[in-house]
Amino acid sequence: MRAGDVVTVDLELLSPEGDGLSESSGILIHVPGGYPGERAEVRVEHASRQAPRAHARLLSLLQAHPARRAPPCPHSDAGAAPRAGACSGCPLQALDVAAQRELKRAALVRRHGLDPGPLVASPDEWGYRWSSKRVVTGTSGHVLVGSYHRGSHAPAAMDDCRVDHPAIAAAARELQAAASALAIEPYDESTGAGDLRYAWFKTDGQDVLLTLISAARSSRAAELLPEALKLPAGVAWSVQAGRGNAVRGALPVPLRGKSVLSVSLAGVPVDVGPLGFLQPNPRVAELAYRDLVADEHGEPHRGALAFDLYAGAGVTTALLRREFAEVVPCESYPESAAALGVPAEPAEVFLARQQASGRVPELIVANPPRGGMGPAVSAALVQMAAPRLQIMSCSADALVRDLAVLQGGGYVLRRLRAYDTLPQTPHLELVAWLSHGTGEV
């Protein structure tokens, strides 16, 4: 198979990025815009020389999925070949939401041999995102507050984004208009020049907290935009001078109005600051949080000591404290760690310190970032051998890598559940219940 070849493929699997995959010919062919169950004519755009893998462009559908629909968002290229300037953030929205969930469940089974059963559904198909990071591109006088098209750094429009909470969508539209009117210079990643780099919006369902992230401390955006913007209840500023893709920058500076939002998750009030973490879909996240601190049957754990790794805003810490005499959280991000009243430290350092003091909890819960806990933390957990370990993961690939270490060290997977946290996307949130040894704890 070579670049330029036109072939007919049967798509059998959904990729983690939302592509349709064909593997029946012995070559794994990625087809953006195609879905499992479809037959398509495609043109090969790249064929790997190192592995039996290729990427192709959708030319025409010979057999469409019965749940196909026109993408509800006009900016989306979902269900079609990638389109310049289009948003690729919701690649599944050309299918109805029930079909999306079944494809995501089937992909988890086929790729990893893990069947979570029926997905826990989001109560909202649209407008569910309470935290949204936007990339600022364009030119002085014509600023775009959007995203990058997947797999590239080509700007994509996100005006009136359908999955963002309406308050965030309105605030992003206002920022785009104000930055253009004030001739704010967007950051140019190719040259390292420019001013406004990112915008991070959070909401509590009513108010919006906006964090402006500039490339340098000399910033017209930070000087002029706070008073020009009327919709955000608070505006903060951070500087990210690095040349990578990290959004979080230096400690934020409040510029106007509120510096925190108060959000209730699973009945726990949480204050979220300008660079603090907020689950994008709190209504589904709180269902997963409640499951994370209970046993696999939904009954509460009780005991003398529990550890909460990657504690974030402290929701699970508060839930655990209702049932345990002592709960010790661990968090590495300074803003969140300070709110929890603990030193900011990585999980492996925390576990080594606790192990050295001889403290073994009855329960450890962990909610690591997308990369998972990793081999060092997983090995430390095996060494500590807590009777119960429960993990909330936003990446099936990372969870499977961590499970390999944990199961090799004596842990037993008792149950797995999946949550459709971000409808229109291939994303799933997972909760895994494990016990050490025989599992009869």
Side-chain angles (χ1 to χ4, degrees):
M1 183 172 291
R2 297 177 297 180
D5 287 352
V6 174
V7 296
T8 298
V9 296
D10 290 309
L11 302 175
E12 302 127 354
L13 184 63
L14 186 71
S15 81
E17 299 78 25
D19 297 342
L21 298 178
S22 174
E23 55 184 359
S24 57
S25 66
I27 299 175
L28 189 65
I29 304 174
H30 292 248
V31 183
Y35 300 121
E38 297 187 324
R39 174 171 289 180
E41 185 179 56
V42 303
R43 178 185 293 114
V44 177
E45 294 192 318
H46 173 75
S48 172
R49 296 182 179 180
Q50 288 75 38
R53 184 175 64 250
H55 294 264
R57 182 177 185 84
L58 179 65
L59 297 179
S60 63
L61 284 175
L62 306 179
Q63 178 181 310
H65 194 289
R68 264 198 179 251
R69 64 184 180 184
C73 175
H75 299 295
S76 175
D77 59 8
R83 174 167 52 86
C87 178
S88 56
C90 296
L92 303 188
Q93 68 170 278
L95 295 173
D96 72 45
V97 73
Q100 294 178 29
R101 293 191 191 114
E102 176 51 30
L103 290 183
K104 290 192 270 191
R105 187 202 64 80
L108 191 62
V109 173
R110 185 157 176 176
R111 294 182 68 237
H112 299 298
L114 298 172
D115 190 347
L119 271 58
V120 177
S122 170
D124 302 306
E125 183 178 347
W126 305 102
Y128 58 77
R129 185 182 281 274
W130 287 30
S131 176
S132 181
K133 299 172 184 176
R134 299 286 192 96
V135 179
V136 179
T137 57
T139 60
S140 178
H142 189 71
V143 174
L144 182 68
V145 180
S147 62
Y148 291 133
H149 195 279
R150 199 194 89 202
S152 76
H153 279 201
M158 290 179 63
D159 298 11
D160 299 310
C161 175
R162 291 288 306 276
V163 297
D164 277 349
H165 188 282
I168 288 179
R173 185 171 60 247
E174 182 191 43
L175 173 60
Q176 185 168 277
S180 297
L182 292 168
I184 300 298
E185 186 179 1
Y187 176 74
D188 185 335
E189 62 176 1
S190 65
T191 64
D195 183 358
L196 189 57
R197 191 169 185 176
Y198 305 109
W200 190 350
F201 301 87
K202 301 188 186 80
T203 184
D204 58 7
Q206 291 185 315
D207 290 339
V208 172
L209 177 61
L210 166 62
T211 305
L212 304 169
I213 297 142
S214 69
R217 295 203 170 275
S218 176
S219 171
R220 289 183 71 249
E223 178 184 349
L224 300 178
L225 284 171
E227 295 307 317
L229 300 173
K230 307 305 179 187
L231 292 181
V235 180
W237 171 45
S238 177
V239 177
Q240 173 53 277
R243 294 297 291 268
N245 294 324
V247 173
R248 274 194 175 117
L251 289 175
V253 177
L255 298 178
R256 175 180 66 74
K258 287 188 173 183
S259 57
V260 296
L261 291 177
S262 294
V263 180
S264 178
L265 291 172
V268 177
V270 175
D271 286 340
V272 181
L275 297 179
F277 177 73
L278 174 63
Q279 282 282 356
N281 189 342
R283 295 185 68 189
V284 180
E286 65 184 356
L287 301 177
Y289 283 147
R290 290 185 189 277
D291 285 346
L292 182 62
V293 301
D295 70 16
E296 65 271 28
H297 307 296
E299 297 298 322
H301 286 294
R302 293 185 175 91
L305 178 63
F307 291 165
D308 186 6
L309 306 185
Y310 314 94
V315 175
T316 45
T317 300
L319 293 175
L320 288 167
R321 282 177 174 159
R322 296 174 181 175
E323 308 294 344
F324 282 81
E326 182 184 2
V327 178
V328 186
C330 168
E331 172 56 43
S332 62
Y333 183 64
E335 181 181 307
S336 299
L340 291 165
V342 296
E345 59 183 343
E348 59 268 32
V349 174
F350 169 85
L351 290 170
R353 184 164 57 81
Q354 299 295 334
Q355 183 91 19
S357 67
R359 285 159 61 83
V360 179
E362 291 103 317
L363 171 68
I364 299 176
V365 302
N367 185 7
R370 179 167 291 276
M373 298 185 299
V377 173
S378 298
L381 290 169
V382 166
Q383 186 176 8
M384 182 165 281
R388 284 291 188 129
L389 170 62
Q390 296 174 188
I391 305 167
M392 183 170 168
S393 173
C394 58
S395 166
D397 289 346
L399 178 62
V400 167
R401 290 193 296 269
D402 291 340
L403 287 177
V405 177
L406 296 168
Q407 291 174 305
Y411 275 98
V412 176
L413 178 63
R414 299 174 69 98
R415 186 177 184 184
L416 181 75
R417 181 174 287 171
Y419 307 77
D420 190 19
T421 319
L422 305 179
Q424 322 307 331
T425 82
H427 180 84
L428 288 175
E429 202 80 30
L430 304 168
V431 171
W433 287 263
L434 299 99
S435 58
H436 197 267
T438 63
E440 300 303 321
V441 181

